[in-house]
Every structure is written in structure tokens, then in C-alpha cells.
Amino acid sequence: NYLVYQDYASQMVALVMKPKKKDKILDMCSAPGSKAFHIASLLENDCSITACDIYEHKTKLIEDEAKRLGVTCIKTITCNSALYDFNELYDCVLLDAPCSGLGVMKHKCDLKYHITFKDIEDIIILKKSLLGKASKVVKTGGILVYSTCTINKQENEEMIKYFLKKHKEFEIIETKNYLPTDKHDGFFICKMIKK
């Protein structure tokens, strides 16, 4: 079995990124790894992907899935990506950021009963920190893709506005915004280049 389930809107992340063979790619919040596997598949394992997650059992899950799928270009790091010293620059950085998940409520129904405004405020602080780190590890001329599975403008458009105000070396190439339908989840994707 060499298949991984991924929602249509989620699949668009790798397609919007458009990585190239030989690229060095950082997936900052990778687990369960479906976007990293998709990138590896598109590039036929001819790249280097560093997949990070804060929990060891989740990086182990990525490693196990990579073995099952025959993906050989992924190495994992168990870390808080906002604080970790990567000590290198990447051609492409993917920040599929922790979010409120308001775009995936059709299959995570309990979210509506548990998510609070305080949770969203905390998530926004974390996103700012993760984006700040992402800005430092993209090489000049490299690509930063920011994505979320929420439809909350504070976490999406407003977050990008905040980021670009602080990091004028970045410029938007493409933005995609999917509202949830019966065919796909709600999703936000923003591709930026570091000038």
C-alpha cells in the first residue's frame, strides 16, 4: 500500500510551492507528514526534506510512514521549530502552521465545542514566532509557503500583512483561499519569495 490520503485543498500546498529537484526543503510543522511525502513524490526522492515536529511520537510516525512509502529523502528532527537552531538555509520552507482548524470542522466536529478566543490568541502568538524563524532560514531567492486549515482572517490574511510589514525582504507570489465545501476543506496558502 503506497497511498496517503490528503484533502484536495491540502494537496495544493506542494503544487503551489513548486519545488525543484535537488532543493533543500524545510517542513517546520510536518506531522503527520502528508505534505512532505507529496513533495518527495513530486520530486521522485531527488531532494532533501527536513521534517520537524515538537513530539517524538509524531516524528517517529513520519519515519515509519516514509519507510512504508519508500520515501528516502526525508530526515526528521524532534524540536520546537520556533526555537531550534537549524544552522543552515533552505531553498523552500513550508510552514503549515498550527491553527484553529476552522476549515476542517466538517470532520473535526468537536472543535466548535472546544476552541476559544484565548486559544486563537495563543495560536497567533505561536504563528508569529514560527514565521519569524522561517524568515531567517529561507535563502535569498528562496520560497516560503505559509498554509493553514482555517478560514480565520486573523490567522491568514492578517498574519501575512503583519509578517510582510516586519519582513520587507519578502514578497507575495501567490495566494489561494479555499472555503470549505462538500468536496474539500477550508484552506489558506500563501507563497512568498525572499528578495
Side-chain angles (χ1 to χ4, degrees):
N1 183 356
Y2 294 105
L3 298 177
V4 172
Y5 170 80
Q6 200 178 8
D7 183 82
Y8 169 81
S10 179
Q11 288 176 45
M12 292 307 297
V13 173
L15 300 177
V16 165
M17 180 187 273
K18 289 189 182 128
K20 298 183 291 299
K21 288 189 173 183
K22 311 293 182 201
D23 272 356
K24 196 168 10 167
I25 300 158
L26 174 64
D27 185 356
M28 292 179 74
C29 304
S30 187
S34 53
K35 292 173 188 69
F37 302 141
H38 189 191
I39 292 165
S41 168
L42 291 172
L43 300 180
E44 299 174 315
N45 274 321
D46 191 6
C47 62
S48 161
I49 302 172
T50 302
C52 305
D53 197 85
I54 199 163
Y55 299 110
E56 196 171 342
H57 71 277
K58 290 193 173 180
T59 48
K60 173 82 167 60
L61 177 73
I62 295 168
E63 289 165 9
D64 291 346
E65 277 292 280
K67 267 184 207 153
R68 181 180 73 81
L69 295 165
V71 173
T72 56
C73 60
I74 292 178
K75 73 167 185 179
T76 62
I77 302 175
T78 304
C79 69
N80 178 340
S81 289
L83 304 175
Y84 188 77
D85 181 10
F86 289 100
N87 206 23
E88 57 184 316
L89 298 176
Y90 296 86
D91 299 293
C92 298
V93 173
L94 169 59
L95 175 54
D96 186 45
C99 70
S100 57
L102 301 177
V104 296
M105 279 203 290
K106 70 178 179 196
H107 50 88
K108 290 191 179 175
C109 305
D110 60 317
L111 267 175
K112 66 182 88 164
Y113 303 112
H114 300 299
I115 195 85
T116 66
F117 286 115
K118 173 74 169 72
D119 292 335
I120 293 173
E121 282 167 21
D122 291 345
I123 286 166
I124 286 169
I125 291 165
L126 175 59
K127 283 174 189 289
K128 286 177 178 175
S129 176
L130 285 162
L131 271 168
K133 174 55 68 108
S135 71
K136 293 181 179 132
V137 295
V138 183
K139 73 178 195 184
T140 303
I143 295 299
L144 170 57
V145 174
Y146 172 83
S147 63
T148 71
C149 60
T150 189
I151 52 174
N152 177 10
K153 287 196 172 196
Q154 277 184 298
E155 297 176 71
N156 295 339
E157 292 89 345
E158 294 301 319
M159 183 61 59
I160 295 300
K161 266 189 213 164
Y162 167 87
F163 175 73
L164 293 176
K165 200 182 265 190
K166 282 194 153 307
H167 299 278
K168 299 194 187 302
E169 71 275 24
F170 282 87
E171 186 178 281
I172 294 176
I173 297 175
E174 184 179 1
T175 302
K176 285 192 178 287
N177 211 334
Y178 295 93
L179 290 174
T181 70
D182 59 349
K183 294 190 169 58
H184 59 73
D185 290 334
F187 228 85
F188 176 81
I189 307 166
C190 182
K191 177 181 181 177
M192 296 170 275
I193 187 166
K194 188 175 189 177
K195 296 176 286 180

